[in-house]
Amino acid sequence: MHHVFRHPRCPLASFSNLIQLKHKSCFVWRTMATQAETGRTYSDAIDALNSLQTPYAIIEARRKAGIRPDATSIAEMRAYLRRIGYSPADLDRLNILHVAGTKGKGSTCAFAASILSQYQRTHGVPNRIGLFTSPHLIAVRERIRIDGKPVSEELFARYFFEVWDRLGDAEQREGPMILDERLDVPTPPRPIYARYLTLMSYHVFLQMGVDAAVYETGIGGEFDATNIVERPLASGISTLGIDHVFALGNTVEKIAWHKAGIMKTGSAAFTIEQLPTAAEVLQKRADEKGVSLKVLDVDPRLENVAIRPDALFQKKNASLGLALAETALQKLDPDFKPDPSSLPKEFVDGLEQVVWRGRCEVKNEAPIVWHIDGAHTVDSLKMATKWFAGECDNKQGPKVLIFNQQGREEAVHFLEGIITALKTHGQARGIEDDAFEHVIFCSNVTHKQTGYSRDFVNHQYDPEAIKALTAQHGFADKWKELEPKAKITVVPTIEDAITLVRDLGPSVGEGQTVQALITGSLHLVGGALAILEGADAL
């Protein structure tokens, strides 16, 4: 989560328990600061970072009290930035490309960064390219990349503790900050998990001489931690839909209002085709800000470019990433002039060679073919299933689904879309009852024996519900209602789920393969890739 939530109308009495929990959290932060001074390893940094996660009890208290993001979140982030020695004006040196959206924002960022990287190899411009995204798949340091690679464990630890110590020193020197006088509660000396990483990314990029940085928002836009940038080179808004309903609202219009918050007066702004009601909100907010919002069609210069997957939604993402990269290069390289009729080789290479793990990814492990996609909204899950179905065309063998989504009650209703998308694809090819033969629901706990690694620890979900597999049994009941013929299994870990699929391998006939889809959550996908590859970062 990127936000400290506030609400102006809740009586102070209703926050008594919450305030006590916040003070206990402050004690933990100070304890971690003392411990951190004696150890400066990557593991120490991740342990300290995990202490900044908002506990499930506080999240639930906020939700029940109706506390949502507001402008206090931005005020706090600016205060933290000042305490580590920077002002928002310093961020101008990063020449930020800022991307928000419900679907495709990560892919858009990856396309833009990849184009800049290819251009850099030929022309030496930009000097260094930063990429900040979330969540990570295997290692936290994946969220902060320079020139396409995650920062090393050594650099992560160094910069993590530099920020940690600066914030601790400022707290000692200045005393506690009270930025929300409605509650009269001191702002914690350090921001919560994802906001801390956002703050740290600014420090890393500025210290490392980054002169072009691509930033993906966390949740929303208007009150997102990344939105303290005042003068981005350009803002891009990818496809909008329903997600993070509690924080952003339950209609696409409300969500569009939040996403539009990243547009800034004096900066270029781009979006792609949206639902009419969402497009109307984006345009209204652009007009209020004095921003010229350009709505992009699929760029015709992509006609002979091998965009993967070869699907309309990905070509829209590529078009948005392309527009952002061109905007950056027009400032950074005086010799760069966009050609409206064709793309230079560096752009084609950037688009075709982009690496964005865990999205429409295929891994062969004969006789199993793993299809991996971190889709987690109703629309993106339908798209992921259609992609999977297309990959399975003309292949024989059982189809298997591994699915999880933790902590979201509405996720049980996403399952019907997966079933329908697969059946619809099959019917178009004359297959009347295309379906998953095996369906496995698991938690996001990675390993059977050791549980989570440090980088996967997540305190934001109800630990009792995870232990009892409450959500997973709910998914199983719903799937049985929708598809009674499927063999449905609930297992406690991702490793258990992968083992079950691997056990199917010996039973398939000659010329057959097990076609497995892993989807529903980037946390699930990251854990699966960690097991399948044995990697410590991607």
Side-chain angles (χ1 to χ4, degrees):
M1 297 290 289
H2 274 257
H3 305 288
V4 174
F5 296 157
R6 311 289 190 207
H7 194 286
R9 294 182 296 276
C10 292
L12 292 181
S14 67
F15 286 101
S16 58
N17 292 334
L18 176 57
I19 291 170
Q20 290 173 17
L21 282 167
K22 287 171 74 69
H23 284 308
K24 288 178 182 177
S25 298
C26 288
F27 173 77
V28 172
W29 284 320
R30 293 188 182 104
T31 302
M32 286 303 303
T34 302
Q35 293 171 347
E37 290 168 4
T38 62
R40 298 283 174 167
T41 67
Y42 179 73
S43 293
D44 293 326
I46 300 305
D47 286 342
L49 178 66
N50 285 338
S51 78
L52 302 181
Q53 291 191 35
T54 306
Y56 171 75
I58 292 180
I59 291 174
E60 275 298 286
R62 289 171 175 166
R63 185 184 65 79
K64 290 175 181 177
I67 307 172
R68 291 177 172 81
D70 66 14
T72 304
S73 303
I74 299 299
E76 289 178 347
M77 201 65 187
R78 289 195 182 108
Y80 289 127
L81 186 70
R82 177 188 60 77
R83 281 190 160 190
I84 66 169
Y86 303 108
S87 70
D90 290 319
L91 304 183
D92 295 348
R93 305 204 305 267
L94 299 179
N95 294 305
I96 289 174
L97 302 175
H98 201 186
V99 182
T102 307
K103 301 184 291 290
K105 60 185 171 127
S107 297
T108 297
C109 289
F111 278 124
S114 182
I115 292 168
L116 293 176
S117 180
Q118 292 292 334
Y119 193 87
Q120 177 196 53
R121 293 180 186 180
T122 304
H123 301 275
V125 177
N127 175 51
R128 278 185 166 169
I129 302 157
L131 176 62
F132 180 75
T133 58
S134 62
H136 58 277
L137 291 179
I138 293 179
V140 174
R141 59 193 179 90
E142 295 165 9
R143 298 184 184 219
I144 303 174
R145 295 176 181 265
I146 295 179
D147 293 337
K149 296 180 180 179
V151 294
S152 67
E153 291 188 357
E154 293 76 15
L155 279 179
F156 186 96
R158 171 186 163 187
Y159 289 122
F160 178 92
F161 284 115
E162 285 182 1
V163 171
W164 186 277
D165 293 343
R166 290 185 187 189
L167 291 171
D169 291 345
E171 179 81 0
Q172 291 293 320
R173 186 174 60 251
E174 302 174 10
M177 301 183 292
I178 299 180
L179 298 179
D180 192 343
E181 295 181 356
R182 297 167 299 184
L183 300 180
D184 195 33
V185 176
T187 299
R190 297 176 180 89
I192 58 176
Y193 187 98
R195 290 160 61 88
Y196 188 98
L197 289 171
T198 304
L199 192 69
M200 178 183 160
S201 74
Y202 296 136
H203 179 55
V204 172
F205 291 159
L206 288 166
Q207 291 297 308
M208 295 291 290
V210 166
D211 59 346
V214 184
Y215 269 79
E216 178 190 12
T217 57
I219 295 176
E222 179 73 25
F223 306 127
D224 187 72
T226 62
N227 206 31
I228 58 172
V229 57
E230 295 176 346
R231 285 178 289 274
L233 283 191
S235 301
I237 300 173
S238 65
T239 301
L240 299 179
I242 303 296
D243 196 16
H244 299 294
V245 169
F246 176 75
L248 305 181
N250 58 1
T251 68
V252 74
E253 296 85 3
K254 292 177 181 177
I255 290 169
W257 184 91
H258 280 274
K259 307 291 185 182
I262 69 167
M263 295 188 289
K264 300 296 193 310
T265 304
S267 300
F270 304 94
T271 190
I272 54 180
E273 182 184 9
Q274 305 285 358
L275 292 170
T277 52
E280 185 179 342
V281 173
L282 294 182
Q283 189 58 59
K284 182 180 178 182
R285 292 216 70 193
D287 293 342
E288 292 169 352
K289 294 168 175 279
V291 170
S292 176
L293 175 62
K294 184 172 183 181
V295 181
L296 304 171
D297 295 322
V298 171
D299 196 310
R301 295 174 294 176
L302 296 178
E303 183 177 356
N304 296 313
V305 179
I307 300 297
R308 293 172 290 122
D310 183 16
L312 178 60
F313 74 87
Q314 194 72 322
K315 291 177 181 177
K316 290 180 178 179
N317 296 333
S319 299
L320 186 54
L322 173 56
L324 293 169
E326 284 186 329
T327 303
L329 290 173
Q330 285 179 83
K331 177 183 178 183
L332 295 168
D333 185 357
D335 296 328
F336 175 76
K337 300 289 186 294
D339 185 339
S341 60
S342 64
L343 293 174
K345 183 178 185 301
E346 299 93 337
F347 279 55
V348 174
D349 289 346
L351 292 163
E352 291 186 342
Q353 297 175 27
V354 65
V355 176
W356 193 229
R357 300 296 306 274
R359 285 81 169 177
C360 297
E361 183 169 349
V362 179
K363 293 183 67 63
N364 287 292
E365 186 189 285
I368 303 166
V369 182
W370 301 99
H371 303 77
I372 304 165
D373 191 275
H376 54 276
T377 69
V378 62
D379 292 330
S380 61
L381 282 163
K382 290 176 183 176
M383 289 181 182
T385 306
K386 286 172 63 177
W387 161 75
F388 167 75
E391 291 287 322
C392 294
D393 284 348
N394 304 315
K395 295 177 182 176
Q396 300 296 316
K399 293 184 176 72
V400 185
L401 174 68
I402 298 177
F403 180 91
N404 188 45
Q405 191 164 130
Q406 202 72 41
R408 297 176 64 187
E409 294 178 2
E410 68 270 24
V412 71
H413 302 298
F414 297 172
L415 302 180
E416 188 170 1
I418 295 173
I419 292 170
T420 301
L422 186 58
K423 283 188 175 180
T424 300
H425 182 89
Q427 288 168 353
R429 300 185 65 252
I431 303 171
E432 282 304 314
D433 196 23
D434 201 2
F436 289 101
E437 293 180 31
H438 300 268
V439 181
I440 304 167
F441 298 108
C442 63
S443 75
N444 287 340
V445 176
T446 315
H447 299 287
K448 188 174 182 180
Q449 297 296 328
T450 57
Y452 296 108
S453 70
R454 278 184 172 87
D455 295 76
F456 285 139
V457 169
N458 193 326
H459 299 313
Q460 297 184 20
Y461 303 127
D462 183 355
E464 293 304 317
I466 293 173
K467 186 177 180 180
L469 299 171
T470 304
Q472 291 70 32
H473 286 295
F475 295 147
D477 291 343
K478 184 65 175 179
W479 198 281
K480 186 175 182 180
E481 174 189 323
L482 296 169
E483 274 287 347
K485 293 181 181 179
K487 182 177 181 181
I488 304 166
T489 310
V490 173
V491 295
T493 71
I494 300 170
E495 182 181 356
D496 288 316
I498 287 174
T499 299
L500 276 178
V501 178
R502 284 174 167 165
D503 288 346
L504 294 173
S507 66
V508 298
E510 186 176 349
Q512 292 189 334
T513 55
V514 178
Q515 301 293 321
L517 173 62
I518 304 175
T519 193
S521 160
L522 283 167
H523 301 287
L524 167 66
V525 160
L529 286 170
I531 292 168
L532 293 173
E533 297 188 6
D536 59 4
L538 295 177

